[in-house]
Amino acid sequence: MIEGWWPILATSFGFLALAVGLISSYVFLSRSRVGARREKAEIIRESERRYGTLFNAVSDIVYVHDLDGKVLDVNRRGSELLGVAPNALEGKNMLDLLAGRPHKAVMAYLKALSTGRKELSGLFPFSAPGGRRVVLEFRSAVSAGSDGTLRVQGIARDVTQQKDFERALRHRERQLGRLLERAEQMQGNLRELSRELLRVQEDERRKIGRELHDEIGQLLAAITIDLQLMKKSPGAQAEADLSRHI
């Protein structure tokens, strides 16, 4: 009887050992997968932490929004410029954040990105809180997120001081151009005045020369006449006449 059950028991123990082995393998694989998932999650968290540190440490404005203008993310520099806390920006629309500012420019920007433009760059002037005029130089690019939804990532830099300097430089250049033009006019007037002075001096020399010529000619004529008279009637009267002319 026992001998008849022994093969059955051996087979059962074999299946039991196999089941235990399979269960152990499954538990081991499950633990390995959980460990791998935890390790992967830790790597992702570390990457997000590093990205967040870099995201908020840069001096430029970094932003992410959808094609309708809804803000998905913005770094600390952008929130400081807009005067809004970072967590209060997410979910807001650019048109609401820029209330009372250039809506037409924002609408044109969103329309260009929504109608096939993959990249867009340019200058965006607006008034920051407090009325300060700000000029941003931006570059945006359309990309697909992990869920396939299109979104816009970009970076912007405050170039207000640079543009103010360029505007002041152009103003100085215009002033310098006007000064150079006036200097050229003054040089032309000075050359004309010099020519007029030379002409007046030449006319005056000619006038003086003619007067001297006439006076000397008259004097010489009188002296000649007196000399002729002296020859005809020498004496005290002739000497007196000659002395009067001399």
Side-chain angles (χ1 to χ4, degrees):
M1 186 72 176
I2 296 176
E3 293 178 357
W5 282 95
W6 178 251
I8 297 174
L9 289 174
T11 303
S12 299
F13 279 118
F15 280 116
L16 180 61
L18 179 62
V20 170
L22 290 174
I23 293 172
S24 299
S25 299
Y26 176 76
V27 170
F28 176 77
L29 290 175
S30 298
R31 288 180 177 177
S32 299
R33 289 174 181 173
V34 170
R37 281 198 216 94
R38 288 178 180 174
E39 184 178 355
K40 185 176 181 180
E42 183 63 28
I43 292 174
I44 292 174
R45 283 194 295 270
E46 179 65 18
S47 297
E48 289 176 346
R49 185 186 65 79
R50 291 179 179 178
Y51 169 77
T53 302
L54 178 62
F55 185 72
N56 289 304
V58 295
S59 59
D60 293 335
I61 301 166
V62 183
Y63 54 87
V64 183
H65 63 80
D66 63 13
L67 294 178
D68 294 325
K70 179 181 177 181
V71 177
L72 303 177
D73 201 1
V74 64
N75 68 341
R76 186 180 294 113
R77 181 69 181 94
S79 65
E80 291 173 353
L81 183 65
L82 294 172
V84 183
N87 55 358
L89 285 173
E90 295 182 15
K92 296 286 186 180
N93 194 281
M94 296 174 63
L95 294 173
D96 298 330
L97 292 171
L98 300 174
R101 296 166 196 168
H103 277 62
K104 290 183 178 179
V106 177
M107 294 297 295
Y109 165 79
L110 294 175
K111 183 178 180 181
L113 292 172
S114 301
T115 53
R117 291 287 297 273
K118 296 300 181 183
E119 291 187 0
L120 191 63
S121 60
L123 296 176
F124 184 77
F126 70 98
S127 297
R132 186 173 71 91
R133 178 181 172 275
V134 177
V135 180
L136 296 179
E137 184 178 33
F138 70 90
R139 185 176 185 84
S140 300
V142 179
S143 61
S146 57
D147 57 354
T149 304
L150 294 179
R151 60 182 183 177
V152 180
Q153 296 176 319
I155 187 169
R157 177 171 297 177
D158 187 350
V159 294
T160 307
Q161 291 184 347
Q162 176 184 339
K163 294 303 175 182
D164 289 343
F165 176 77
E166 291 175 356
R167 185 168 55 254
L169 182 60
R170 288 193 296 269
H171 179 67
R172 292 294 179 86
E173 288 176 348
R174 288 193 295 268
Q175 285 185 328
L176 181 59
R178 288 193 292 267
L179 288 174
L180 290 175
E181 184 178 353
R182 290 181 58 186
E184 290 177 356
Q185 292 177 353
M186 292 177 64
Q187 286 180 350
N189 294 336
L190 183 60
R191 286 193 294 269
E192 183 64 26
L193 182 61
S194 298
R195 286 193 293 267
E196 182 66 19
L197 180 60
L198 291 175
R199 185 184 63 80
V200 170
Q201 290 176 344
E202 184 65 23
D203 291 345
E204 188 67 21
R205 281 196 294 269
R206 290 174 182 173
K207 181 180 178 181
I208 292 172
R210 285 194 300 268
E211 290 177 353
L212 289 174
H213 180 272
D214 294 342
E215 290 180 2
I216 292 174
Q218 293 175 1
L219 182 60
L220 290 175
I223 291 174
T224 301
I225 295 172
D226 289 342
L227 289 174
Q228 291 176 354
L229 291 174
M230 288 175 63
K231 290 179 180 180
K232 294 179 180 180
S233 56
Q237 182 64 37
E239 292 179 0
D241 293 338
L242 181 60
S243 298
R244 185 176 63 251
H245 290 297
I246 297 174

